[in-house]
């Protein structure tokens, strides 16, 4: 039988910049450095009668971050949670790009293209990126 951990929780709820309500619980193992923890984590742990395992996370069925009612929350492994959201997003859109350093044609997910990130150049590898930017620094020093 596992030992139940009781944590005092301040009922004042605030939201993080990500929109998730948090509660003040400085004694909780998952509390942030300033003592806050996601409200949905507390709700699920109370329902389960135990702390969430390190590889567990909480999914909001209706995708409403502020709805932490018991019926809307499901505890699942991080792996299963990520796979579920990947399936929801559907197949990745892929774009072909030309490396700004060596000219190699390569593919990237559309949300990882230079346009999506507001960049002007694309590189097929970190080494090509480093060679390109190092050559720019050498030219500036040589002026």
């Amino acid at each position: 039988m596992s030992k139940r951990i009781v944590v005092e929780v301040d009922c004042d709820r605030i939201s993080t910049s990500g929109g998730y309500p948090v509660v003040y619980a400085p004694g909780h193992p998952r509390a942030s450095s300033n003592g806050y923890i996601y409200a949905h984590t507390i709700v699920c742990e109370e329902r389960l009668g135990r702390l969430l395992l390190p590889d567990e996370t909480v999914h909001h069925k209706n995708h409403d971050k502020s709805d932490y009612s018991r019926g809307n929350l499901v505890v699942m492994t991080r792996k299963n949670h990520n796979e579920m959201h990947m399936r929801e997003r559907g197949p990745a859109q892929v774009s072909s790009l030309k490396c700004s350093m060596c000219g190699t044609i390569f593919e990237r997910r559309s949300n990882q293209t230079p346009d999506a990130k507001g960049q002007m150049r694309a590189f097929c590898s970190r080494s090509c990126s480093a060679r390109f930017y190092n050559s720019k620094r050498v030219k500036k020093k040589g002026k």
Side-chain angles (χ1 to χ4, degrees):
M1 176 137 181
S2 65
K3 188 166 127 180
R4 184 169 177 159
I5 297 174
V6 177
V7 177
E8 291 291 323
V9 176
D10 184 346
C11 290
D12 291 335
R13 290 178 175 86
I14 61 171
S15 291
T16 64
S17 59
Y20 289 99
V22 293
V23 294
Y24 186 66
H28 194 285
R30 284 195 180 204
S32 63
S33 60
N34 60 2
Y36 286 91
I37 184 168
Y38 293 120
H40 57 257
T41 299
I42 295 286
V43 170
C44 286
E45 289 178 341
E46 287 177 1
R47 185 181 68 203
L48 293 170
R50 64 170 176 83
L51 297 175
L52 293 182
L53 300 174
D55 71 329
E56 289 179 326
T57 191
V58 179
H59 172 67
H60 294 76
K61 288 181 187 177
N62 67 3
H63 301 282
D64 180 355
K65 297 174 184 179
S66 64
D67 181 359
Y68 48 92
S69 61
R70 282 180 165 83
N72 184 48
L73 302 176
V74 178
V75 175
M76 53 189 359
T77 65
R78 292 182 190 279
K79 179 182 178 194
N80 290 343
H81 187 243
N82 291 338
E83 287 172 351
M84 181 188 64
H85 282 297
M86 292 299 284
R87 282 192 303 273
E88 288 173 355
R89 289 184 192 119
Q93 299 296 317
V94 177
S95 297
S96 292
L97 302 168
K98 184 176 181 180
C99 180
S100 298
M101 184 65 198
C102 69
T104 299
I105 304 297
F106 63 100
E107 292 183 340
R108 287 269 161 81
R109 292 177 71 113
S110 293
N111 65 340
Q112 295 177 336
T113 61
D115 291 341
K117 293 180 173 182
Q119 298 169 333
M120 300 293 289
R121 296 178 180 83
F123 301 98
C124 64
S125 65
R126 287 184 180 188
S127 62
C128 274
S129 175
R131 285 193 348 244
F132 180 84
Y133 288 109
N134 285 338
S135 70
K136 293 287 183 193
R137 271 187 246 147
V138 169
K139 287 180 185 177
K140 282 184 182 179
K141 287 181 182 178
K143 281 187 175 183

